[in-house]
Amino acid sequence: MLVAVTGASGLIGTALTRRLQAEGHQVLRLTRSRPTAADQVQWDPAAGQLDPEALAKADAVVHLAAKHIGDQLRWTARTKRQILQTRVEGTALVARTMAELAGGSGGPRVLVCASGAHYYGDRGDELLTEASSGGRGFLADVVQRWEAAADPARSAGLRVVHLRTGPVQDATGAGLPKQALMFRLGIGGRFGSGRQWLSWVALDDITGAYLHALTNDDLAGPVNAVAPNPVTNAEFTTTLARVLRRPAVLHVPAFAPKLVLGEFADEMLFASMRIRPSRLLETGYRFRFPDLEPALRHTLGRPGRS
Ligand SMILES: NC(=O)c1ccc[n+]([C@@H]2O[C@H](COP(=O)([O-])OP(=O)(O)OC[C@H]3O[C@@H](n4cnc5c(N)ncnc54)[C@H](OP(=O)(O)O)[C@@H]3O)[C@@H](O)[C@H]2O)c1
C-alpha cells in the first residue's frame, strides 16, 4: 500500500512511517518544509495548497499535521485560533482534495485522521465509548469541528476514520519527559484531587491503531485510540514514582496551576476522561501495552525486577 502521511515528521508520524515501511508499505511524506528526500512532497495547509497529483497515486492518507496543543503553557487568543485553524483548515483541504480525486474515480479511498480524546470534554467518572456524546469546552469544540472538517471525503463515499487519541506516553514525546524530570527532582505529585481520569496510550499502540484503521475495512467514523485501562491522576502519579523509584509526596492544589496557566490547566491537567477503546477491541486490535506500568517501564528504560 502507498500511504501519504501529513505531519510525518512529528512524534506519531515518525514512528508510524518507520512501522509502515517495516511492514512493506511505501510512505509519501507531506511536509510544510522544503523537501529534502524523494519520498517527501511539500504542501501549505495555511495557504490551502495541496497538489492533487501528489495524492493521486496513494491508496490511503493519514492526516496528522496540526499545531501541538501543549507547546505553549498559556493559551492566548492567537494560540487558540491556531490550534483550531490548523486542525480544521488542514483536514478540510485534505478531505476536499480526496473528494475531487474520487469524483474523477481516482485517488486514495481511505482517510485516517488524527483526532483527540478531548472530544468528550470533562466527564468525571462516566465511562465513555464512541457512542457517547461530545462534551463542552474549548478543546471539545475544536475536536468536534476537526472531525466535521472531513465531511467532504465522507460525502464522496470514502472511508474516513477519526482516531480519538489520548495523551501518548513516550520518552521522546512532549509530556512524559517533563513529568519524569519533576519526579527525578523530587517535585512530582498529583494534581488537585487526583481523581481525574487519564486515558493514555503507548506510542506502539497508537501506531498499531493507525495500521489497524488503515487495513480494517470495518472501521469508519470515530475510534477511541486509548489503552483499555485508563488511570486516575493519583494512580498515574504513584505508578510513575514507582517506575522511577522516586517519591511522589507532593500534592499540587488545583488553584495554583489554574492561577498560573488558566484555561490550559482546566483542559489539560484537570479534565477527567475515562474512555474505553470499544471499536478497536471489537475489531480485534490487540494492545501491546494495555496497562500503564509496563508501558512506562518500556519507554523509560526501567525494567522491573523479575
Ligand atoms: N501526541 C499526543 O499525545 C496526541 C494526543 C492526541 C492527539 N494527537 C494528534 O495527533 C497528531 C499527531 O501528533 P504528534 O504528537 O505526532 O504531533 P507533533 O509531534 O506535534 O507533529 C505534528 C506535525 O504536524 C506538522 N505541524 C506542526 N505545526 C503545524 C502547524 N501549525 N500547521 C500545520 N502543520 C503543523 C509538523 O509537520 P511538518 O513541519 O513536517 O509539516 C509536525 O511534525 C496531531 O494532530 C495531534 O493533535 C496527538
Side-chain angles (χ1 to χ4, degrees):
M1 188 163 49
L2 172 60
V3 185
V5 181
T6 74
S9 57
L11 172 70
I12 297 173
T14 303
L16 178 63
T17 299
R18 209 175 292 138
R19 186 154 178 183
L20 283 166
Q21 289 168 338
E23 302 212 1
H25 302 292
Q26 284 174 283
V27 176
L28 183 68
R29 296 179 289 157
L30 270 72
T31 177
R32 295 163 306 152
S33 313
R34 187 187 293 270
T36 53
D39 67 344
Q40 285 183 328
V41 169
Q42 195 167 22
W43 74 316
D44 186 347
Q49 287 168 9
L50 169 56
D51 180 4
E53 281 304 306
L55 293 188
K57 289 201 179 70
D59 300 294
V61 177
V62 169
H63 174 47
L64 301 170
K67 177 182 168 58
H68 201 283
I69 60 169
D71 58 2
Q72 276 152 295
L73 291 182
R74 213 181 159 92
W75 289 337
T76 60
R78 183 161 177 267
T79 311
K80 287 170 70 175
R81 210 166 40 244
Q82 287 173 341
I83 288 173
L84 175 67
Q85 281 178 351
T86 60
R87 283 169 174 75
V88 171
E89 290 173 0
T91 305
L93 178 60
V94 170
R96 250 190 347 258
T97 307
M98 289 178 68
E100 277 162 28
L101 288 164
S105 306
R109 308 298 304 170
V110 181
L111 171 60
V112 183
C113 281
S115 176
H118 284 279
Y119 174 89
Y120 300 105
D122 182 11
R123 301 285 276 266
D125 291 332
E126 186 183 346
L127 192 58
L128 302 160
T129 71
E130 290 86 350
S132 303
S133 61
R136 279 185 296 210
F138 167 64
L139 288 178
D141 180 50
V142 165
V143 177
Q144 288 159 32
R145 292 166 72 177
W146 188 10
E147 292 189 356
D151 283 348
R154 236 183 309 277
S155 306
L158 304 177
R159 184 166 72 86
V160 180
V161 181
H162 301 279
L163 285 183
R164 290 181 182 160
T165 308
V168 177
Q169 301 303 312
D170 195 77
T172 62
L176 185 60
K178 286 190 195 120
Q179 276 172 302
L181 177 66
M182 284 167 65
F183 279 79
R184 286 190 178 107
L185 295 173
I187 51 170
R190 73 180 156 87
F191 286 116
S193 70
R195 287 201 300 267
Q196 65 274 35
W197 287 91
L198 176 76
S199 291
W200 61 280
V201 66
L203 185 59
D204 267 337
D205 281 318
I206 189 63
T207 59
Y210 273 96
L211 213 62
H212 186 74
L214 281 167
T215 52
N216 196 315
D217 287 340
D218 292 338
L219 280 179
V223 172
N224 292 337
V226 295
N229 297 311
V231 292
T232 62
N233 173 265
E235 284 168 333
F236 180 87
T237 303
T238 50
T239 306
L240 183 55
R242 192 161 55 240
V243 168
L244 294 172
R245 293 202 209 144
R246 301 292 296 165
V249 285
L250 285 188
H251 163 216
V252 183
F255 75 86
K258 285 184 189 218
L259 204 68
V260 181
L261 307 175
E263 198 176 6
F264 180 94
D266 285 330
E267 300 247 353
M268 301 288 284
L269 304 179
F270 296 106
S272 178
M273 279 159 269
R274 186 185 180 193
I275 302 174
R276 186 176 157 73
S278 298
R279 294 295 293 136
L280 284 180
L281 294 171
E282 282 160 13
T283 53
Y285 179 74
R286 291 184 60 186
F287 281 85
R288 180 166 178 213
F289 292 109
D291 296 300
L292 181 66
E293 184 160 340
L296 293 182
R297 288 195 180 284
H298 172 76
T299 191
L300 294 170
R302 295 280 183 146
R305 285 199 204 100
S306 52

